[in-house]
Amino acid sequence: MIPKLSYREILDSFDESFQEYKCRNMSNLEALAKTFEDFEIMMNKGDLEKATILIRYGELVLMQPYVFHKSKDYIVNFLEEVDCVSLQQELSDVEYQEFVMRKKEVLYNLNNKPLTNNARAMWYYDEMIDEVNCYYNTINLKDKTADEIARDVLERFKRACRNTKSEKIGVYTTLAERLLEDDLTDSIELKHIRDMLKEFNINEVGEQLSNHEKQKLHLRIEWVLKRLIDN
């Protein structure tokens, strides 16, 4: 049986669980989804538990570039119905004021956040670029060939590459950019990436990317292909 936690303990426990999943090389979105699943039983304990978890969940959701429309509806529908006054006796004065303020901010910001219909994405466009670059920077380039570097990166992100087309293309394009920037062009893997990017149609990603993201990705792919032809 899950023990009853205080308002502050719930928040701390939620954040701790989220960070643990992040340490397993998960994206923010995937780590958040896993954390939310872990706290579903606790949400059944009462309105305070559920509201506190949804407020923190909402705050972390808002840190992403988009919000899945069903997630927004679920959070908003519940929080709008929460009677804060009825929960006041379970909180200190300071906690109560904080609770009310955070609830209002989540509701306001959710109603002004761009929405997405893509429920499959683990990594968003810019987040994918940042994560690949961050991992690439940890590799000691002097100790590995271009192909070894490429295989290392592709192994690290193989789950994302299997998940959606946009995530796969994001990984491969970013990897190609880095190999070209470091003049690591003597690579069979890079030739495979070139062939894949030449055949890629931006419309294949559908609603996985916004129109602006599609335009940026298209320009990046053109740059990669031009550099590979020049080489």
Side-chain angles (χ1 to χ4, degrees), residues 78-101:
F78 179 79
L79 291 183
E80 284 184 338
E81 295 177 357
V82 170
D83 181 6
C84 292
V85 176
S86 67
L87 302 179
Q88 191 169 5
Q89 61 183 357
E90 299 184 57
L91 301 166
S92 68
D93 290 341
V94 172
E95 289 173 340
Y96 178 71
Q97 294 302 322
E98 178 187 306
F99 177 88
V100 172
M101 180 189 68

Side-chain angles (χ1 to χ4, degrees), residues 206-222:
E207 294 185 342
Q208 294 168 15
L209 299 177
S210 68
N211 289 333
H212 181 57
E213 289 168 341
K214 288 178 185 177
Q215 291 172 1
K216 291 196 293 184
L217 178 59
H218 178 70
L219 291 174
R220 292 171 63 210
I221 291 174
E222 282 190 335

Side-chain angles (χ1 to χ4, degrees), residues 41-103:
I41 294 177
M42 186 181 293
M43 288 198 297
N44 294 328
K45 284 182 168 293
D47 283 352
L48 178 62
E49 286 83 356
K50 186 171 184 178
T52 302
I53 291 167
L54 284 178
I55 286 171
R56 187 57 185 146
Y57 175 68
E59 289 172 338
L60 293 172
V61 162
L62 285 164
M63 295 175 66
Q64 311 311 309
Y66 309 101
V67 176
F68 182 49
H69 68 97
K70 289 186 178 180
S71 296
K72 175 201 169 180
D73 291 343
Y74 178 70
I75 298 169
V76 169
N77 289 341
F78 179 79
L79 291 183
E80 284 184 338
E81 295 177 357
V82 170
D83 181 6
C84 292
V85 176
S86 67
L87 302 179
Q88 191 169 5
Q89 61 183 357
E90 299 184 57
L91 301 166
S92 68
D93 290 341
V94 172
E95 289 173 340
Y96 178 71
Q97 294 302 322
E98 178 187 306
F99 177 88
V100 172
M101 180 189 68
R102 292 172 80 159
K103 173 194 166 186

Side-chain angles (χ1 to χ4, degrees), residues 172 175-176 179 189-198:
Y172 278 72
L175 172 59
L179 291 173
E189 292 291 344
L190 190 55
K191 290 181 174 64
H192 290 163
I193 295 174
R194 177 200 62 194
D195 294 340
M196 184 185 70
L197 294 182
K198 284 173 67 176

